[in-house]
Amino acid sequence: MAVLNDLDRFHLVMDAIDRLPQTGAKGTYLKQQLQDKLIEHRQYINEHGQDLPEIRNWKWKPLA
């Protein structure tokens, strides 16, 4: 649901890149990777009716 509303971690990082021009080419490359992952994610949702396993099964890990 967060992906469909552009509130997921991918969109948040892309927004940060847009606001930090000093990221330069690395930021542009990362943003493209995130956009590609979002396309893959949406295709998976359309086919399987649920998030990608890497998203669905993600858990916070405590900092050591």
Side-chain angles (χ1 to χ4, degrees):
M1 197 65 170
V3 170
L4 297 176
N5 292 316
D6 296 345
L7 297 172
D8 57 278
R9 66 188 96 171
F10 301 111
H11 284 96
L12 292 173
V13 172
M14 289 189 292
D15 286 345
I17 291 169
D18 288 343
R19 288 169 173 72
L20 297 168
Q22 63 266 35
T23 60
K26 287 182 181 181
T28 302
Y29 179 71
L30 175 58
K31 190 172 175 183
Q32 184 60 56
Q33 287 180 304
L34 294 168
Q35 289 170 336
D36 293 345
K37 185 53 105 172
L38 280 168
I39 291 168
E40 176 189 351
H41 191 190
R42 287 177 198 259
Q43 290 172 342
Y44 189 91
I45 290 170
N46 288 336
E47 186 175 334
H48 300 282
Q50 60 184 354
D51 287 326
L52 282 164
E54 65 194 72
I55 302 297
R56 189 174 62 246
N57 300 326
W58 183 83
K59 292 185 178 21
W60 282 99
K61 294 182 183 177
L63 298 174

